[in-house]
Amino acid sequence: MTESASVSLEGIVKRHGAVTVLHGVDLAIAPGEFFALLGPSGSGKTTTLRILAGLEPHDEGRVTMDGIDVTQRGPGDRDVAMVFQSYALYPHMSVYDNIAFPLRMVAMPRAEVDAAVRDAAVRVRIDHLLDRRPGQLSGGQQQRCALARAIVRKPRLFLLDEPLSNLDAKLRMETRVELRKLQRSLGVTTVYVTHDQEEAMTMADRIAVFLDGRIAQVGTPHEIFERPASTPVAAFIGSPPMNLLPGEVHRGRLSVAGTPLELARHPGPDGPVTVGVRPGALVLSDHGIPGQIYLVEDLGETSIVDVQVEGQLVKIRTPHRPGVHESEAVHLSCAGSAVHVFDRNSGLRR
Ligand SMILES: Nc1ncnc2c1ncn2[C@@H]1O[C@H](COP(=O)(O)OP(=O)(O)OP(=O)(O)O)[C@@H](O)[C@H]1O
Ligand SMILES: [Mg+2]
């Protein structure tokens, strides 16, 4: 096993001409951690990863590994291995030679190369495919070949940019389990870029949510799901994401659509708020917020019920098909502990 690194980004600013794509990114990643950068397209994830790798210059801030400033170091001097979305395998080489390539570059003796290649191939379960060319592999096998080529060097930092995005849904789910196990067995610090929140939620020790070139929140998957720091994070996480409705705090009481909501805690100072409730926490009931059924979506195991509340659609997830019909008048209720309250103006959690 290799020694793994701690990594930090401090005040990273990146501009492309007049456009700022990273606005002061700060991150501290612990040795051995599986850390996900999660955010929508264009939010700055790949740029951040490339800056970590030393592949892309930045305008302000510094990058450290184990407390040492590596900002001026090139990718070859950072002891990192990166797997790109397009695996970038050499098509004319065998799988064996592809995996061996980084070791031959550093002139490792032949017998050591052979042992390392076979060990890496076994770990990702492609040891029976070593004589093939990449073109003779399935997408999932190519992906594992790219992983083997990255782990064979025993890097101290492993950077992965949407490595599973070319796989179909079933293979993606299987491979993410394998990848997580592989990372645990190697113990190597891993930064994993994805726009797929399920991937980030299931694999990562911690997640940084990227929105518009800024980190909106850092936390464990549980923290990010249970206590989103702001309405933009709340609106991004969950499938479907949290419902957000205008609400009011008046004399210490919270109400939505004219209906008082019971909270287990004090909702904070009087004024306009945004009230968040996850679809799975809402139930159709005979009391609560009034609305009208708009659509029932049957997803097989669960149903999503769209309810119109004061001109806005609210989504409810139910475990079984609800006995309601379009246009029917209903009420929505939820436990006080499931209600999130955000400041209306700043969007920050109260
Ligand atoms: N060479 C460039 N010139 C100008 N703008 C760029 C350049 N490269 C990237 N950008 C911009 O920087 C922003 C961040 O890009 P980045 O590739 O980091 O996003 P991302 O979060 O990885 O997105 P995706 O999920 O689509 O891969 C985007 O708005 C992109 O258009
Ligand atoms: Mg990207």
Side-chain angles (χ1 to χ4, degrees):
M1 197 195 295
T2 175
E3 197 195 327
S4 62
S6 72
V7 198
S8 77
L9 293 175
E10 296 167 18
I12 299 291
V13 174
K14 170 72 184 176
R15 301 186 191 96
H16 286 291
V19 184
T20 302
V21 297
L22 294 178
H23 305 259
V25 166
D26 295 303
L27 271 184
I29 300 170
E33 198 169 21
F34 194 116
F35 196 94
L37 311 184
L38 172 67
S41 184
S43 57
K45 308 179 297 293
T46 295
T47 305
T48 303
L49 203 69
R50 288 175 56 82
I51 289 171
L52 270 173
L55 291 167
E56 184 139 339
H58 53 277
D59 297 279
E60 288 172 38
R62 58 178 211 145
V63 182
T64 73
M65 285 179 70
D66 289 332
I68 297 163
D69 192 330
V70 296
T71 312
Q72 303 304 326
R73 284 193 204 168
D77 300 320
R78 292 196 186 184
D79 210 356
V80 297
M82 186 155 168
V83 175
F84 300 92
Q85 175 178 348
S86 58
Y87 316 129
L89 298 171
Y90 302 110
H92 57 287
M93 289 185 194
S94 67
V95 167
Y96 185 101
D97 289 335
N98 264 282
I99 300 172
F101 188 79
L103 303 180
R104 290 183 176 144
M105 290 293 284
V106 296
M108 184 185 271
R110 181 187 286 259
E112 280 179 45
V113 170
D114 191 64
V117 168
R118 291 183 192 282
D119 176 60
V122 167
R123 283 181 184 275
V124 299
R125 297 196 280 125
I126 53 166
D127 46 311
H128 58 301
L129 302 171
L130 289 171
D131 295 330
R132 297 219 195 146
R133 302 249 163 119
Q136 298 168 314
L137 302 181
S138 72
Q141 291 163 343
Q142 288 183 35
Q143 193 268 337
R144 297 209 291 269
C145 180
L147 284 174
R149 190 177 57 181
I151 63 175
V152 76
R153 278 175 41 204
K154 306 203 185 312
R156 300 175 55 209
L157 177 61
F158 203 18
L159 304 175
L160 301 163
D161 192 354
E162 311 236 10
L164 309 186
S165 58
N166 287 352
L167 308 183
D168 66 43
K170 183 167 174 287
L171 196 53
R172 201 157 64 215
M173 226 184 264
E174 291 168 8
T175 313
R176 83 182 178 212
V177 175
E178 284 175 25
L179 187 54
R180 182 59 174 130
K181 287 204 144 178
L182 177 68
Q183 190 269 345
R184 282 229 178 94
S185 72
L186 296 171
V188 58
T189 313
T190 300
V191 186
Y192 186 96
V193 163
T194 181
H195 65 266
D196 180 336
Q197 48 172 297
E198 201 176 288
E199 230 170 77
M201 290 298 215
T202 52
M203 294 172 88
D205 295 313
R206 284 192 303 154
I207 298 173
V209 180
F210 273 69
L211 296 172
D212 295 328
R214 289 185 173 83
I215 293 181
Q217 187 169 2
V218 177
T220 63
H222 184 79
E223 283 164 359
I224 289 189
F225 190 82
E226 295 297 335
R227 289 185 61 82
S230 64
T231 49
V233 176
F236 179 64
I237 300 290
S239 173
M242 188 182 280
N243 296 294
L244 295 170
L245 293 159
E248 209 59 50
V249 177
H250 183 62
R251 294 187 179 167
R253 307 279 313 227
L254 175 66
S255 64
V256 170
T259 311
L261 287 186
E262 290 305 327
L263 271 188
R265 59 187 191 283
H266 196 275
D270 283 7
V273 293
T274 299
V275 174
V277 189
R278 295 223 173 265
L282 281 168
V283 289
L284 294 170
S285 111
D286 52 6
H287 64 281
I289 303 166
Q292 193 182 28
I293 301 289
Y294 184 73
L295 188 72
V296 179
E297 301 170 71
D298 190 346
L299 304 181
E301 269 187 83
T302 59
S303 297
I304 304 288
V305 185
D306 292 333
V307 181
Q308 208 146 24
V309 175
E310 294 197 327
Q312 192 179 336
L313 282 186
V314 172
K315 289 187 183 285
I316 306 174
R317 179 195 294 283
T318 64
H320 40 74
R321 189 180 297 199
V324 291
H325 305 282
E326 280 170 34
S327 306
E328 197 174 320
V330 292
H331 290 84
L332 311 180
S333 66
C334 67
S337 56
V339 177
H340 304 250
V341 184
F342 303 93
D343 190 84
R344 178 95 63 88
N345 299 315
S346 69
L348 295 177
R349 182 181 197 88
R350 280 191 163 189

